[in-house]
Amino acid sequence: MTPQWRGLINGTVVYIALGVVAMFFVVCVSRPAKPLFITSVVLTTVCTWMLWACCYMSQMYPILYPIMSSAPGEGHGHADAGGADHRRMF
């Protein structure tokens, strides 16, 4: 297992632990809306974990890489660009 996947597994364990702690606080509260609180804690934990996991995995193997120029001061323009300045947006 590569170190990137260990980080994902460790983060998942942390999210599970946070969900269990939040569930403990909800169960200790005796109110008539306890099922609503339990549902909210479970959905919040799962959704925030999914957001974190997607962001983490997108950084593990990025699709876009920075373009490095061969000589310092060349910038990001191409030789066949015809003199157009590609850094300007408008």
Side-chain angles (χ1 to χ4, degrees), residues 13-14 16-17 54 64 70-71 82 84 88:
V13 169
V14 168
I16 290 171
C54 288
L64 301 175
S70 58
R88 295 178 61 188

Side-chain angles (χ1 to χ4, degrees), residues 14-87:
V14 168
Y15 267 96
I16 290 171
L18 290 174
V20 168
V21 168
M23 211 45 145
F24 174 74
F25 285 122
V26 167
V27 170
C28 289
V29 174
S30 62
R31 292 193 178 152
K34 191 184 290 188
L36 177 65
F37 292 150
I38 290 172
T39 304
S40 297
V41 165
V42 170
L43 284 175
T44 301
T45 304
V46 169
C47 289
T48 54
W49 172 80
M50 284 176 50
L51 176 69
W52 172 81
C54 288
C55 291
Y56 187 86
M57 287 189 290
S58 71
Q59 293 177 13
M60 283 171 52
Y61 301 107
I63 295 173
L64 301 175
Y65 292 99
I67 300 171
M68 305 295 244
S69 61
S70 58
E74 270 187 21
H76 294 288
H78 299 287
D80 58 348
D85 189 8
H86 292 285
R87 291 174 291 180

